[in-house]
Amino acid sequence: MSPVRYALSDRIAVLTVDNPPVNALSQAVRAALADAVSRFAADEDAEIAVILGAGRLFIGGADISEFGKPPADPWLPEVIAAIEDCPKPIVAVIHGTALGGGLEVALGCHWRMAMPGTKLGLPEVTLGILPGAGGTQRLPRLVGLQAAAEMITSGRPMTAEAALDAGLIDHLGQGDDVLAAARSWAADLLTQGVVARPTGRIAAPSGDLSDMRAEMQAKSRGEVAPVTALDAVAASTSLSFADGMAEERRLFRELMDTPQRAGLIHAFFAERATAKLPEIAGIAPREIDRLGVIGGGTMGAGIATSALLAGLPVVLVERDEAAAGRARDTIAANLAAAVKRGKLDADRRDTLLDVSLVTATDYDALAPADLLIEAVFESMEVKQEVFARLDAVARPGAVLATNTSYLDVDAIAAVTSRPQDVIGLHFFSPAHIMKLLEIVVARDTAPDVTATAFALARRLGKIPVRAGVCDGFIGNRILSHYRTAADHMVLDGASPYAIDRAIRDFGFAMGPYQVSDLAGLDIGFATRQRKAADAHPRDRAPTFADALYHAGRLGRKTKRGYYDYSDDPKGREDPETLRLVQEARADASREFTDEEIVRRYMAAMVNEAARVVGDGIASRPLDVDVVFLHGYGFPRWRGGPMHWADTYGLDRILADIREFARDDDHFWQPAPLLTELADKGATFESLNRKDTK
Ligand code: T1G
Ligand code: NAD
């Protein structure tokens, strides 16, 4: 059956794009749409055409899985030109979502209507490209230069209401019967005697984007698509429509060929692949109607907020009334911020606080909970004591989860009579904002408990990644390793500021020492104390970090850490820090270029990541990528550390590690999986393909 249906009645032709799940504009859809438009043009009984999407949305854009393959006729710009050039009026009736090429189809139509709740956007820059079917030329003609530039360079969608205000659509529909609304509007237009009205013939917009360009360039940290997209929009002011279209195509092709495009598309599919695991395929999750949270500090309050926002009632247990009150205050403040951001209305907030949230000090209050998440202090002793108490009060079949950052989930499960019900749910801070959730599957965790954790993640709007039990799971384990590589460079003579700068220039949001200041230097100190007993004689301790800790420089919370925050919230470099660091290191004779800093940092990251995959802690390399993109500020356009490593070359990383091992063959030991893949000339991507497209 054709993916575009044609139906005629009362002089109205309805062209329905039907290509589940998102009506993407694959080659077959483009060809069928072009045919349907020709048929309408030739159909003497049809006076107006409506383009609609079947199912839950209009059109989700170009078919991303075709990117990187040779382009197949007809091209989308040609199909849209045929719509625009049709002498009889064609209207778009948009519901659900119109994204990328989907919105560009609508821009090529002569009139546009959207149903309430619709999102309209040009998200191409988030995939490393730009709107390549006329979006950069038609949108500014409809909504003005500035508004178009903002929409295209941010990739952020607009609501139907905002689109009406902006002039992007002509009419806001009503009700939820899209076809009926479409037919009724088309009939009205016919009565009004409307004619075809090509967007491309609207006068070119005027204005200047050079200030915006300079600002974007300064903030881009190496990302190319947004600035290039801006250049395409700017072309609409100085070139004819036809020449502007040609310029858009030229810039589009340029971006299509960049590694950044490949990185961003990898990220898109990787995020959707993490929940696809053979071990939970077809397994029914347990039902979750009520959550229990134990500990209402930073994490517990954030987790409770996240659950409440998703409509799950929460019972939160703290040590005493004062702590329970503080937890409630934190949650109230989190919800107030959500109200301020327009994510929640004030009445609903009141109901969540008064009805859906129960705070208590007695563990018996947890008895009705279907899933309990422990977020108490990071201490095995405390956690085991809490789990023994949970075992006594939780109902049979309840899932018992721990939010530990590093500790052994098997050892926590072992104090209960039901280790099959125990799992790790490692949220990231702030838990109601960060999307990543590491799901730590312990030795005895039952498959339906794992399936329940993935179902919960979906309900909370999180991106779940399966991890196995080890110190730090996927993210924190790899972090500890490359952090150590950075510390070694400081011990050998690099300034922490030089390292932070080089890492930011690579594209990370923050350097490792800025991250330390944010987390608190006491956290790192406590971790080192905890691990001191397992230290190898050749491990090199970061003596400078201890020195800062002992000097009371704990980071942002004490206004001083690696940086000085006393009169600058962003932090200033501080000669006192450099003096403390200098005193604390024995041999500081080496100099490091930015390039070497990045090489060492990334080699350590990829090497430990290869061990994490080789040991089965991460299911596939793509799972590591998603953890780093969403939990550690890894630059999205580089696709994640494993994708980046494939691009850089696994043989080159191995050569780097062997070079660094000449000075320190204890720290720099190549991971067996890295050696194996590099020797075969294979990539990490080859290990992803087994389970994903
Ligand atoms: N192409 C191919 N597959 C797609 C796709 C697309 N555009 N969008 C989604 N899928 C797959 C996805 O991988 C998943 O597959 C399934 O559909 C459901 O997706 C010329 C260059 C539309 C808001 O960037 O933002 O147009 O995992 O889980 O949460 O200028 O999908 O089930 O096998 O995300 O309901 C611009 C990308 C393209 C939109 C729906 N378009 N998609 O969200 O479902 S570039 C986009 C989305 C372009 C022109 C150009 C979302 C959605 P599987 P899902 P959802
Ligand atoms: P926190 O100190 O802010 O909060 C811990 C809370 O637990 C305190 O409010 C304390 O009163 C309460 N508590 C302690 N013992 C209790 C008990 N027996 N019963 C009930 N409540 C008890 O700590 P946090 O930062 O929220 O960390 C909690 C857990 O989450 C730790 O395991 C930590 O490793 C993990 N974690 C923290 C982060 C982070 O960035 N802060 C991120 C991920 C995971």
Side-chain angles (χ1 to χ4, degrees), residues 485-497 499 513 540 544 562 581 585 587-588 592:
D487 288 347
H488 287 179
M489 287 189 268
V490 174
L491 286 171
D492 290 339
S495 137
Y497 305 131
I499 293 182
Y513 299 100
R540 301 173 66 198
F544 59 91
Y562 286 95
V581 167
R585 56 190 170 194
D587 172 23
F592 293 85

mmCIF file of all heavy atoms in Angstrom, residues 485-497 499 513 540 544 562 581 585 587-588 592:
data_model
loop_
_atom_site.group_PDB
_atom_site.id
_atom_site.type_symbol
_atom_site.label_atom_id
_atom_site.label_comp_id
_atom_site.label_asym_id
_atom_site.label_seq_id
_atom_site.Cartn_x
_atom_site.Cartn_y
_atom_site.Cartn_z
ATOM 1 N N ALA A 485 44.354 10.090 35.609
ATOM 2 C CA ALA A 485 45.303 10.514 34.562
ATOM 3 C C ALA A 485 45.530 12.022 34.646
ATOM 4 O O ALA A 485 46.669 12.505 34.490
ATOM 5 C CB ALA A 485 44.772 10.128 33.182
ATOM 6 N N ALA A 486 44.457 12.771 34.914
ATOM 7 C CA ALA A 486 44.598 14.229 35.054
ATOM 8 C C ALA A 486 45.457 14.542 36.277
ATOM 9 O O ALA A 486 46.363 15.386 36.215
ATOM 10 C CB ALA A 486 43.216 14.876 35.181
ATOM 11 N N ASP A 487 45.188 13.855 37.383
ATOM 12 C CA ASP A 487 45.966 14.092 38.613
ATOM 13 C C ASP A 487 47.455 13.797 38.385
ATOM 14 O O ASP A 487 48.318 14.517 38.887
ATOM 15 C CB ASP A 487 45.434 13.221 39.760
ATOM 16 C CG ASP A 487 44.078 13.706 40.279
ATOM 17 O OD1 ASP A 487 43.677 14.841 39.930
ATOM 18 O OD2 ASP A 487 43.419 12.958 41.025
ATOM 19 N N HIS A 488 47.735 12.757 37.623
ATOM 20 C CA HIS A 488 49.144 12.448 37.329
ATOM 21 C C HIS A 488 49.801 13.608 36.586
ATOM 22 O O HIS A 488 50.956 13.945 36.834
ATOM 23 C CB HIS A 488 49.252 11.171 36.485
ATOM 24 C CG HIS A 488 48.954 9.934 37.276
ATOM 25 N ND1 HIS A 488 48.969 8.684 36.704
ATOM 26 C CD2 HIS A 488 48.638 9.744 38.579
ATOM 27 C CE1 HIS A 488 48.664 7.776 37.626
ATOM 28 N NE2 HIS A 488 48.462 8.398 38.774
ATOM 29 N N MET A 489 49.065 14.200 35.653
ATOM 30 C CA MET A 489 49.653 15.330 34.916
ATOM 31 C C MET A 489 49.931 16.494 35.861
ATOM 32 O O MET A 489 50.959 17.152 35.742
ATOM 33 C CB MET A 489 48.726 15.766 33.774
ATOM 34 C CG MET A 489 48.718 14.776 32.619
ATOM 35 S SD MET A 489 47.824 15.419 31.181
ATOM 36 C CE MET A 489 46.178 14.793 31.451
ATOM 37 N N VAL A 490 49.027 16.731 36.814
ATOM 38 C CA VAL A 490 49.270 17.813 37.775
ATOM 39 C C VAL A 490 50.493 17.468 38.627
ATOM 40 O O VAL A 490 51.377 18.312 38.842
ATOM 41 C CB VAL A 490 48.030 18.073 38.658
ATOM 42 C CG1 VAL A 490 48.339 19.097 39.748
ATOM 43 C CG2 VAL A 490 46.863 18.561 37.807
ATOM 44 N N LEU A 491 50.574 16.208 39.071
ATOM 45 C CA LEU A 491 51.738 15.798 39.870
ATOM 46 C C LEU A 491 53.039 16.001 39.088
ATOM 47 O O LEU A 491 54.078 16.312 39.651
ATOM 48 C CB LEU A 491 51.618 14.319 40.266
ATOM 49 C CG LEU A 491 50.600 13.997 41.369
ATOM 50 C CD1 LEU A 491 50.420 12.490 41.510
ATOM 51 C CD2 LEU A 491 51.030 14.621 42.709
ATOM 52 N N ASP A 492 52.963 15.834 37.771
ATOM 53 C CA ASP A 492 54.167 15.942 36.945
ATOM 54 C C ASP A 492 54.458 17.370 36.477
ATOM 55 O O ASP A 492 55.448 17.590 35.779
ATOM 56 C CB ASP A 492 54.044 15.027 35.725
ATOM 57 C CG ASP A 492 54.133 13.559 36.119
ATOM 58 O OD1 ASP A 492 54.671 13.263 37.213
ATOM 59 O OD2 ASP A 492 53.648 12.702 35.349
ATOM 60 N N GLY A 493 53.558 18.312 36.790
ATOM 61 C CA GLY A 493 53.886 19.699 36.449
ATOM 62 C C GLY A 493 52.797 20.509 35.784
ATOM 63 O O GLY A 493 52.937 21.722 35.644
ATOM 64 N N ALA A 494 51.700 19.880 35.333
ATOM 65 C CA ALA A 494 50.652 20.658 34.664
ATOM 66 C C ALA A 494 49.858 21.465 35.687
ATOM 67 O O ALA A 494 49.678 21.024 36.822
ATOM 68 C CB ALA A 494 49.715 19.719 33.903
ATOM 69 N N SER A 495 49.371 22.615 35.264
ATOM 70 C CA SER A 495 48.490 23.386 36.149
ATOM 71 C C SER A 495 47.069 22.835 35.993
ATOM 72 O O SER A 495 46.636 22.520 34.882
ATOM 73 C CB SER A 495 48.554 24.858 35.749
ATOM 74 O OG SER A 495 47.264 25.425 35.755
ATOM 75 N N PRO A 496 46.328 22.734 37.100
ATOM 76 C CA PRO A 496 44.932 22.278 36.981
ATOM 77 C C PRO A 496 44.131 23.179 36.041
ATOM 78 O O PRO A 496 43.226 22.704 35.353
ATOM 79 C CB PRO A 496 44.372 22.373 38.404
ATOM 80 C CG PRO A 496 45.493 22.766 39.306
ATOM 81 C CD PRO A 496 46.719 23.019 38.500
ATOM 82 N N TYR A 497 44.510 24.470 36.002
ATOM 83 C CA TYR A 497 43.773 25.385 35.128
ATOM 84 C C TYR A 497 44.036 25.067 33.651
ATOM 85 O O TYR A 497 43.136 25.144 32.824
ATOM 86 C CB TYR A 497 44.155 26.846 35.420
ATOM 87 C CG TYR A 497 43.961 27.208 36.875
ATOM 88 C CD1 TYR A 497 44.954 27.858 37.601
ATOM 89 C CD2 TYR A 497 42.775 26.875 37.526
ATOM 90 C CE1 TYR A 497 44.767 28.187 38.934
ATOM 91 C CE2 TYR A 497 42.589 27.189 38.869
ATOM 92 C CZ TYR A 497 43.583 27.844 39.573
ATOM 93 O OH TYR A 497 43.400 28.148 40.886
ATOM 94 N N ILE A 499 44.694 22.164 32.478
ATOM 95 C CA ILE A 499 43.941 20.942 32.162
ATOM 96 C C ILE A 499 42.473 21.284 31.930
ATOM 97 O O ILE A 499 41.870 20.875 30.928
ATOM 98 C CB ILE A 499 44.118 19.908 33.287
ATOM 99 C CG1 ILE A 499 45.574 19.443 33.300
ATOM 100 C CG2 ILE A 499 43.161 18.722 33.089
ATOM 101 C CD1 ILE A 499 45.905 18.401 34.320
ATOM 102 N N TYR A 513 38.767 19.801 37.361
ATOM 103 C CA TYR A 513 38.960 20.490 38.644
ATOM 104 C C TYR A 513 37.800 21.437 38.942
ATOM 105 O O TYR A 513 37.484 21.678 40.106
ATOM 106 C CB TYR A 513 40.343 21.163 38.687
ATOM 107 C CG TYR A 513 41.391 20.066 38.548
ATOM 108 C CD1 TYR A 513 42.024 19.805 37.342
ATOM 109 C CD2 TYR A 513 41.624 19.191 39.612
ATOM 110 C CE1 TYR A 513 42.898 18.737 37.197
ATOM 111 C CE2 TYR A 513 42.492 18.116 39.478
ATOM 112 C CZ TYR A 513 43.126 17.892 38.264
ATOM 113 O OH TYR A 513 43.957 16.818 38.139
ATOM 114 N N ARG A 540 49.764 6.467 42.444
ATOM 115 C CA ARG A 540 50.310 7.782 42.830
ATOM 116 C C ARG A 540 49.191 8.634 43.417
ATOM 117 O O ARG A 540 48.239 8.970 42.727
ATOM 118 C CB ARG A 540 50.898 8.472 41.599
ATOM 119 C CG ARG A 540 52.012 7.669 40.947
ATOM 120 C CD ARG A 540 52.438 8.323 39.636
ATOM 121 N NE ARG A 540 53.054 9.619 39.860
ATOM 122 C CZ ARG A 540 53.205 10.534 38.903
ATOM 123 N NH1 ARG A 540 52.782 10.302 37.671
ATOM 124 N NH2 ARG A 540 53.785 11.689 39.168
ATOM 125 N N PHE A 544 48.333 16.913 46.164
ATOM 126 C CA PHE A 544 47.882 18.312 46.103
ATOM 127 C C PHE A 544 46.403 18.423 46.477
ATOM 128 O O PHE A 544 45.983 19.411 47.086
ATOM 129 C CB PHE A 544 48.148 18.901 44.711
ATOM 130 C CG PHE A 544 47.461 18.138 43.606
ATOM 131 C CD1 PHE A 544 46.191 18.506 43.185
ATOM 132 C CD2 PHE A 544 48.074 17.044 42.993
ATOM 133 C CE1 PHE A 544 45.550 17.796 42.194
ATOM 134 C CE2 PHE A 544 47.444 16.337 41.995
ATOM 135 C CZ PHE A 544 46.171 16.706 41.598
ATOM 136 N N TYR A 562 39.805 24.631 44.022
ATOM 137 C CA TYR A 562 40.841 24.909 43.019
ATOM 138 C C TYR A 562 40.729 26.367 42.584
ATOM 139 O O TYR A 562 41.712 27.035 42.345
ATOM 140 C CB TYR A 562 40.694 23.970 41.827
ATOM 141 C CG TYR A 562 41.159 22.568 42.178
ATOM 142 C CD1 TYR A 562 40.254 21.599 42.605
ATOM 143 C CD2 TYR A 562 42.517 22.252 42.140
ATOM 144 C CE1 TYR A 562 40.685 20.342 42.967
ATOM 145 C CE2 TYR A 562 42.956 20.995 42.498
ATOM 146 C CZ TYR A 562 42.038 20.042 42.915
ATOM 147 O OH TYR A 562 42.488 18.816 43.285
ATOM 148 N N VAL A 581 49.625 23.532 45.350
ATOM 149 C CA VAL A 581 49.865 22.416 44.428
ATOM 150 C C VAL A 581 51.368 22.208 44.250
ATOM 151 O O VAL A 581 51.878 21.085 44.328
ATOM 152 C CB VAL A 581 49.165 22.674 43.068
ATOM 153 C CG1 VAL A 581 49.649 21.697 42.009
ATOM 154 C CG2 VAL A 581 47.655 22.590 43.214
ATOM 155 N N ARG A 585 53.761 18.638 45.319
ATOM 156 C CA ARG A 585 54.265 17.654 44.364
ATOM 157 C C ARG A 585 55.785 17.584 44.425
ATOM 158 O O ARG A 585 56.461 18.596 44.616
ATOM 159 C CB ARG A 585 53.754 17.929 42.961
ATOM 160 C CG ARG A 585 54.057 19.291 42.425
ATOM 161 C CD ARG A 585 53.298 19.529 41.119
ATOM 162 N NE ARG A 585 53.399 20.925 40.708
ATOM 163 C CZ ARG A 585 52.639 21.484 39.789
ATOM 164 N NH1 ARG A 585 51.698 20.799 39.180
ATOM 165 N NH2 ARG A 585 52.801 22.738 39.456
ATOM 166 N N ASP A 587 58.032 16.053 42.019
ATOM 167 C CA ASP A 587 58.773 16.298 40.796
ATOM 168 C C ASP A 587 57.828 16.951 39.796
ATOM 169 O O ASP A 587 56.891 16.322 39.319
ATOM 170 C CB ASP A 587 59.288 14.964 40.240
ATOM 171 C CG ASP A 587 59.892 15.158 38.865
ATOM 172 O OD1 ASP A 587 60.302 16.293 38.564
ATOM 173 O OD2 ASP A 587 59.935 14.177 38.101
ATOM 174 N N ALA A 588 58.038 18.209 39.530
ATOM 175 C CA ALA A 588 57.102 18.918 38.671
ATOM 176 C C ALA A 588 57.829 19.538 37.496
ATOM 177 O O ALA A 588 57.732 20.723 37.217
ATOM 178 C CB ALA A 588 56.381 19.978 39.483
ATOM 179 N N PHE A 592 53.130 20.211 29.607
ATOM 180 C CA PHE A 592 52.163 19.495 28.774
ATOM 181 C C PHE A 592 51.483 20.471 27.829
ATOM 182 O O PHE A 592 50.981 21.510 28.277
ATOM 183 C CB PHE A 592 51.083 18.844 29.656
ATOM 184 C CG PHE A 592 51.596 17.745 30.533
ATOM 185 C CD1 PHE A 592 52.161 18.031 31.778
ATOM 186 C CD2 PHE A 592 51.528 16.425 30.122
ATOM 187 C CE1 PHE A 592 52.643 17.015 32.591
ATOM 188 C CE2 PHE A 592 52.008 15.393 30.928
ATOM 189 C CZ PHE A 592 52.571 15.697 32.164
#
